[in-house]
Amino acid sequence: MTAYTDLMAFQRDTEALAQVAGRLAWDQETMMPEGAGPQRAEEHGAMAGILHARRIDPRVGDWLDKAEAVDDVAAANLRHIRRSFDRATKVPARLATALAQTTSRAHRIWAKARAEEDVAAFLPALQQVLDLRREEAAAIAGNADRYDALLDDYEPGATGASLSAMFAALRPRLVDLRAAVLDRPKPPVLTGTFDEAGQLALSRKLALAFGYDLATGRIDKAVHPFSSGSGLDVRITMRTNPADPFNCFYATIHEVGHAAYEQGIDRAHLLTPLGAGVSMGVHESQSRIYENQLGRSRAFTGWLYGQMRDSFGDFGIADEDAFYACVNRVSDGFIRTEADELQYNLHVLLRFDLERALVSGDLAVHDLEAAWNDRFAADFGFAVDRPSNGVLQDVHWSEGLFGYFPTYSLGNVYAGCLHQSLRAAVPDLDDDLARGDTSRATGWLRSNLQQFGGLRTPVETITHAAGFAPQEGPLLDYLETKFGAIYGL
Amino acid sequence: MTAYTDLMAFQRDTEALAQVAGRLAWDQETMMPEGAGPQRAEEHGAMAGILHARRIDPRVGDWLDKAEAVDDVAAANLRHIRRSFDRATKVPARLATALAQTTSRAHRIWAKARAEEDVAAFLPALQQVLDLRREEAAAIAGNADRYDALLDDYEPGATGASLSAMFAALRPRLVDLRAAVLDRPKPPVLTGTFDEAGQLALSRKLALAFGYDLATGRIDKAVHPFSSGSGLDVRITMRTNPADPFNCFYATIHEVGHAAYEQGIDRAHLLTPLGAGVSMGVHESQSRIYENQLGRSRAFTGWLYGQMRDSFGDFGIADEDAFYACVNRVSDGFIRTEADELQYNLHVLLRFDLERALVSGDLAVHDLEAAWNDRFAADFGFAVDRPSNGVLQDVHWSEGLFGYFPTYSLGNVYAGCLHQSLRAAVPDLDDDLARGDTSRATGWLRSNLQQFGGLRTPVETITHAAGFAPQEGPLLDYLETKFGAIYGL
């Protein structure tokens, strides 16, 4: 046995245990009896303890020091394990425990503060979480940038400075496009009710149309849609709302994008560090290209219009063009998770700039709400009316997830790049999409990106698939062309 | 921190991890996508490795040596942990690995051999499993009895000799009762089909009628009915067969008996060694008294008859008395799992005597089929027609579960004792049962037995609840009275 073989055998069990822990979380959202909560918290804690102990096991350090990479796959495996080991061992146990306890408490305080529209009640807890994450970032970063150390957990290799430059180029053109679009007449809005059975059936049909493999997955209802698991067991959830079938359908397509990435990874990488999506941003690129560039395209919505007519009869939208405009309707709103494709990134960029300033110390917690409201008014042209529509709307900061938000927009930028190259590679793709056939599109993504899992870095992954380095231009061009056509700009 | 406190904190995480592993098995039978099998096997293996490592952790031995019991609960906790530690540390790692691999292989060989009616194809694998279990038993037992060492894993404190004496008293009266009953005219048999929706609804109603708590449980369909989990998350499964609603209903009541035991344990014992049923035999006493002494009683079947008429209309059984006889119909059969209440123990006693002889070396594997067939003919009065109806019918031996079978009959003997005392304590219980109200019966079981979990030994548990030491007389008296009345003996 070589050090590499020993290390990979140990890592394989760790990966398997991580899958078990992930499925426990899935169970909690889908199957767990309501009274099981206190016991489940202890089960999660025990699994987290086991996983943490394995990640900082001194034997891993020894094996890493001795192991030699005989090929690209081995080099990538060693890179992933080294990164995880270095991060985990740099954080003192005392700090890791304090973070777990403080974020758990802050999450409860945030939920109450949001319900009561009481920002002041949340700020002390937010300050504690921020202080601990800053301390963690300093432990990991040494003399390097703290925000980058946090960001690196979600998007290895990304830096706040590079994202800031990219987003600075994105923001003005999005603000202008938004203002121009909202100056035009509104497309029709969906009205009426859509029965749950019909939504469930069509949601399932959409999942299969986008290549979701039910032999290694399953679909359940949950309060929030999500994708869970890697390898041979990748499950998704969805929800229905009688008044809003688009929420069900597009959340399903979005989660299928995440799941298809996991299901599409070469099975040689099963239960290794390469056997999961390489970063949050690359993951989001898959969910967003499935949902938006493909699922909300004129061609695909033409097919979906027919499917909805078959399922629900005449639902008040006259034709495919009106349906396409309805699906892509842009309107004012406060909430990121409800935002349309055009405005979504403006919500994210706002959070990125604010959290980066919080972590650097340039913005104090007690100035956060004012900074949020100023920025929102500047980009969206109207004022935040209450905290639950503003600074208290998202769960992330209460859970300490600083550095997570930008991966949403990075995913959209990546999706823009991938989409441009996909269209060049398959010029007649719309003929497929108009028949509800995504196989050439998803096949291109699988063979150019998904199959490789964690083999390359995130930027290398996108560069390899798109044929050029990630950049914001293709996304902007796509959005301006698409919404310009819909709104007659 | 005292040694006891440290030990219990460590043990609590172990118990929580064991619950996670158990839920993983539940998921496999109810939710897992069909293609996830290979990955799931690795997940199970990783969890088993973690649990085994914790059970033999040298710190557990140190803590056990230093810990002092300040009360009965602490003494019982130490007794359970000591027993688990001693058993686990006596079995060499090489032997544990060989057992896991050999039983996994033997299980597959058994399934194929049973399908092909080929005993000879199974015997070499059975010999390997038996040899390894004998080796394991010797490692645990030292100079003591090997079968007792295996039995002790399922029924702590029980011995082959004491069970043999009890079963020897059981067998002749059961053989005689069976012969007398089968000499009488047959009760009506259920015919027709019973729709699945009706079975599912009534099955759920029965679960609730027997006190199953859905706030800490859930019911799903599976190939085999089972109960899974302890504490605040105790799940059961059931199945339906259009021609056989009794299978659905009585399997549900049986599993609710198991689940009610787990749900009924004092929550102070949550995630401690006392927080689960104390033995297989005591567990089976709960499932069987729910299913048989309560669920198949004249009074309760009178209520069930009305429920079935409400659900399925006239299904061809004239009245409550005919329905009671139909539910308790005795007829010839080869298969243990399909046996009625009267004959069931004869199937078990046969297996107990044979496996005890296998482990002692008094019976050779190549003589097993002949010994089975001779014993079956002696007790049941007709010949086994093929191996799948005889020696190949059960999965247990292929999985190395020697010492497990007798706990089924021990559970029935325990149920007989508990039932006698329950009837004495609640003389008008039939008035309740005739209304479908089991609350005084299940309440008596909860307060006299279930709540204590693992506080006492199995025999102490039954003795405390029944008010006398376990003995076969009450079960025999009950069966002779019940079937004597139904069959006019």
Side-chain angles (χ1 to χ4, degrees):
Chain A
M1 299 273 277
T2 68
Y4 180 75
T5 314
D6 288 341
L7 175 61
M8 288 303 288
F10 183 85
Q11 182 69 25
R12 194 169 184 91
D13 275 352
T14 305
E15 301 279 348
L17 294 167
Q19 290 298 309
V20 174
R23 204 162 307 107
L24 197 63
W26 169 86
D27 183 275
Q28 184 161 338
E29 300 299 324
T30 56
M31 300 290 159
M32 188 182 84
E34 58 177 339
Q39 176 173 327
R40 180 58 60 95
E42 297 202 50
E43 294 171 6
H44 274 302
M47 287 298 293
I50 291 292
L51 285 166
H52 182 72
R54 294 180 72 89
R55 291 197 173 113
I56 63 168
D57 193 304
R59 289 173 294 173
V60 172
D62 293 342
W63 286 320
L64 281 169
D65 291 341
K66 291 176 193 152
E68 290 175 33
V70 295
D71 56 21
D72 288 356
V73 168
N77 278 320
L78 290 173
R79 177 165 48 78
H80 283 282
I81 300 170
R82 166 63 73 188
R83 182 171 157 276
S84 164
F85 179 76
D86 285 350
R87 283 189 72 92
T89 50
K90 282 176 180 169
V91 180
R94 170 200 56 74
L95 180 55
T97 304
L99 263 166
Q101 290 169 345
T102 305
T103 52
S104 173
R105 184 173 152 274
H107 176 86
R108 289 193 299 274
I109 292 171
W110 163 79
K112 186 163 181 286
R114 186 174 72 155
E116 297 173 359
E117 304 287 358
D118 185 355
V119 177
F122 176 52
L123 293 185
L126 178 62
Q127 185 72 58
Q128 289 181 321
V129 172
L130 178 63
D131 289 345
L132 289 169
R133 284 286 272 168
R134 282 168 49 89
E135 187 181 345
E136 183 192 20
I140 294 166
N143 293 324
D145 186 84
R146 288 187 188 186
Y147 187 77
D148 290 354
L150 299 176
L151 179 60
D152 190 73
D153 203 19
Y154 312 108
E155 197 68 21
T159 65
S162 65
L163 292 184
S164 188
M166 178 185 277
F167 294 165
L170 209 54
R171 187 178 165 206
R173 280 171 67 181
L174 289 178
V175 168
D176 289 349
L177 180 60
R178 179 189 169 278
V181 159
L182 285 172
D183 215 28
R184 300 283 302 159
K186 291 267 187 297
V189 68
L190 205 62
T191 57
T193 60
F194 299 80
D195 67 272
E196 180 173 58
Q199 290 195 40
L200 292 174
L202 186 45
S203 159
R204 193 178 182 85
K205 193 167 187 176
L206 285 165
L208 296 174
F210 275 91
Y212 184 55
D213 176 17
L214 282 168
T216 57
R218 54 177 291 134
I219 308 173
D220 294 277
K221 287 176 66 178
V223 175
H224 299 289
F226 64 93
S227 168
S228 165
S230 296
L232 304 181
D233 196 343
V234 186
R235 306 180 183 189
I236 62 172
T237 65
M238 40 78 74
R239 61 183 171 191
T240 60
N241 173 344
D244 188 5
F246 290 159
N247 183 294
C248 170
F249 300 151
Y250 284 100
T252 297
I253 299 173
H254 181 98
E255 300 311 330
V256 165
H258 285 301
Y261 186 10
E262 297 292 339
Q263 290 184 324
I265 296 172
D266 187 335
R267 291 194 177 170
H269 302 322
L270 185 73
L271 295 177
T272 74
L274 307 197
V278 70
S279 73
M280 304 297 301
V282 176
H283 238 300
E284 195 73 2
S285 77
Q286 300 306 290
S287 58
R288 293 296 268 182
I289 196 172
Y290 277 55
E291 177 191 356
N292 288 333
Q293 279 88 351
L294 301 175
R296 288 194 170 93
S297 65
R298 173 63 186 79
F300 189 80
T301 57
W303 177 79
L304 180 58
Y305 179 67
Q307 294 294 315
M308 283 187 64
R309 298 269 296 196
D310 291 349
S311 296
F312 305 109
D314 180 357
F315 54 96
I317 304 293
D319 56 32
E320 290 185 9
D321 284 325
F323 183 76
Y324 175 55
C326 173
V327 165
N328 289 287
R329 196 172 194 277
V330 177
S331 55
D332 282 335
F334 296 105
I335 305 296
R336 176 184 60 84
T337 57
E338 297 170 0
D340 52 74
E341 189 180 359
L342 193 169
Q343 298 181 90
Y344 186 84
N345 292 303
L346 290 174
H347 291 276
V348 173
L349 269 45
L350 176 160
R351 288 153 178 76
F352 167 70
D353 285 331
L354 295 183
E355 73 176 16
R356 207 167 157 232
L358 285 172
V359 172
S360 72
D362 291 343
L363 177 65
V365 158
H366 66 261
D367 295 326
L368 175 62
E369 184 182 20
W372 179 294
N373 292 347
D374 288 350
R375 168 71 173 256
F376 188 87
D379 283 3
F380 293 87
F382 61 102
V384 171
D385 61 347
R386 55 180 185 268
S388 66
N389 277 337
V391 70
L392 290 185
Q393 76 179 260
D394 289 309
V395 68
H396 299 59
W397 290 336
S398 77
E399 294 185 342
L401 299 177
F402 298 96
Y404 189 112
F405 277 125
T407 66
Y408 292 128
S409 282
L410 193 58
N412 287 324
V413 167
Y414 289 165
C417 300
L418 296 169
H419 181 240
Q420 179 175 297
S421 299
L422 165 63
R423 288 285 178 175
V426 190
D428 57 343
L429 181 61
D430 279 338
D431 297 347
D432 294 13
L433 299 180
R435 295 190 310 269
D437 177 1
T438 73
S439 59
R440 281 199 294 168
T442 56
W444 186 90
L445 289 165
R446 177 173 287 216
S447 60
N448 287 286
L449 187 150
Q450 294 168 356
Q451 65 161 315
F452 301 114
L455 182 64
R456 304 185 177 89
T457 68
V459 166
E460 287 169 358
T461 297
I462 299 298
T463 305
H464 176 88
F468 56 88
Q471 48 198 271
E472 70 285 357
L475 175 67
L476 283 166
D477 294 345
Y478 154 79
L479 290 171
E480 287 168 353
T481 303
K482 173 175 180 175
F483 287 93
I486 295 173
Y487 282 87
L489 300 178
Chain B
M1 296 276 276
T2 67
Y4 180 75
T5 314
D6 288 341
L7 174 61
M8 288 303 287
F10 183 85
Q11 182 69 25
R12 194 169 184 91
D13 274 352
T14 305
E15 301 279 348
L17 294 167
Q19 289 299 309
V20 175
R23 204 162 308 107
L24 198 63
W26 169 85
D27 183 273
Q28 184 161 338
E29 300 299 324
T30 56
M31 299 291 158
M32 187 183 85
E34 59 177 338
Q39 177 173 327
R40 181 57 60 93
E42 296 200 51
E43 293 171 7
H44 274 303
M47 286 298 294
I50 291 291
L51 285 166
H52 183 72
R54 294 179 74 89
R55 291 199 174 111
I56 61 168
D57 193 304
R59 289 173 294 173
V60 172
D62 293 343
W63 285 321
L64 280 168
D65 291 341
K66 290 174 194 153
E68 289 174 33
V70 295
D71 58 19
D72 287 356
V73 168
N77 277 320
L78 290 173
R79 177 166 47 79
H80 282 282
I81 300 171
R82 167 62 72 188
R83 182 172 157 275
S84 165
F85 180 76
D86 285 350
R87 283 189 73 92
T89 50
K90 281 177 180 169
V91 180
R94 170 200 56 75
L95 180 55
T97 304
L99 263 166
Q101 291 169 342
T102 306
T103 51
S104 173
R105 185 174 152 272
H107 176 87
R108 289 193 300 274
I109 293 171
W110 162 78
K112 186 164 183 283
R114 186 174 72 156
E116 296 174 357
E117 303 288 357
D118 185 356
V119 176
F122 176 52
L123 294 185
L126 178 62
Q127 184 73 58
Q128 289 181 320
V129 172
L130 178 63
D131 288 346
L132 288 169
R133 285 287 272 166
R134 283 168 47 90
E135 187 181 344
E136 183 192 21
I140 294 166
N143 292 325
D145 185 84
R146 290 187 187 187
Y147 187 78
D148 290 354
L150 299 177
L151 179 60
D152 189 74
D153 203 19
Y154 312 108
E155 197 67 22
T159 65
S162 64
L163 292 185
S164 188
M166 179 186 277
F167 294 164
L170 210 55
R171 185 178 168 207
R173 281 171 66 182
L174 290 179
V175 169
D176 289 350
L177 180 60
R178 179 190 170 277
V181 159
L182 286 173
D183 214 29
R184 299 284 301 161
K186 290 266 186 296
V189 67
L190 206 62
T191 57
T193 60
F194 299 80
D195 67 272
E196 180 173 58
Q199 291 194 40
L200 292 174
L202 187 45
S203 159
R204 192 177 183 85
K205 192 168 189 175
L206 285 166
L208 296 174
F210 275 92
Y212 183 56
D213 176 16
L214 281 168
T216 56
R218 54 177 290 134
I219 308 174
D220 294 278
K221 286 176 66 177
V223 174
H224 299 289
F226 64 93
S227 168
S228 165
S230 296
L232 304 180
D233 196 343
V234 186
R235 306 180 183 188
I236 62 172
T237 66
M238 40 79 73
R239 62 183 170 190
T240 60
N241 173 343
D244 187 5
F246 290 159
N247 183 294
C248 171
F249 299 152
Y250 284 100
T252 297
I253 299 173
H254 181 98
E255 300 310 330
V256 164
H258 284 302
Y261 186 11
E262 297 292 339
Q263 291 184 323
I265 296 172
D266 187 335
R267 290 192 177 172
H269 301 324
L270 185 72
L271 296 177
T272 75
L274 308 197
V278 71
S279 73
M280 305 296 302
V282 176
H283 238 300
E284 193 74 3
S285 78
Q286 300 305 291
S287 60
R288 294 296 268 183
I289 195 171
Y290 277 55
E291 177 191 357
N292 287 333
Q293 279 89 350
L294 300 175
R296 287 193 170 94
S297 66
R298 173 63 185 81
F300 189 81
T301 58
W303 178 79
L304 180 59
Y305 179 67
Q307 294 294 314
M308 283 187 64
R309 298 269 295 195
D310 291 349
S311 297
F312 305 109
D314 180 357
F315 54 95
I317 303 293
D319 56 30
E320 291 186 9
D321 284 327
F323 184 75
Y324 175 55
C326 174
V327 164
N328 288 288
R329 195 172 194 277
V330 177
S331 56
D332 282 335
F334 297 105
I335 304 297
R336 175 184 61 83
T337 57
E338 298 169 0
D340 52 75
E341 190 180 358
L342 193 170
Q343 298 181 89
Y344 186 84
N345 292 302
L346 289 174
H347 290 276
V348 173
L349 271 43
L350 175 161
R351 286 153 178 78
F352 167 72
D353 285 332
L354 295 183
E355 72 177 17
R356 208 169 157 229
L358 285 173
V359 171
S360 73
D362 290 345
L363 177 64
V365 159
H366 65 261
D367 294 327
L368 175 62
E369 184 182 21
W372 179 295
N373 292 347
D374 288 351
R375 169 69 172 256
F376 189 88
D379 283 2
F380 293 87
F382 61 102
V384 171
D385 62 347
R386 55 180 185 268
S388 65
N389 278 337
V391 70
L392 291 185
Q393 77 179 258
D394 289 309
V395 68
H396 299 59
W397 290 336
S398 77
E399 294 186 341
L401 299 177
F402 298 96
Y404 190 112
F405 277 125
T407 67
Y408 291 128
S409 282
L410 192 58
N412 288 324
V413 166
Y414 289 165
C417 300
L418 296 169
H419 182 241
Q420 179 176 296
S421 299
L422 165 64
R423 288 286 177 174
V426 191
D428 57 343
L429 180 61
D430 279 338
D431 296 348
D432 293 13
L433 299 181
R435 295 189 311 270
D437 177 0
T438 73
S439 61
R440 282 199 292 170
T442 56
W444 186 91
L445 289 165
R446 177 172 288 215
S447 61
N448 287 285
L449 187 150
Q450 294 168 356
Q451 65 161 316
F452 301 114
L455 182 63
R456 303 184 178 90
T457 68
V459 166
E460 287 169 358
T461 297
I462 299 299
T463 304
H464 176 87
F468 57 87
Q471 48 198 273
E472 71 285 356
L475 175 66
L476 283 166
D477 293 345
Y478 154 79
L479 290 172
E480 286 168 354
T481 303
K482 173 176 181 174
F483 287 93
I486 295 173
Y487 282 86
L489 300 177

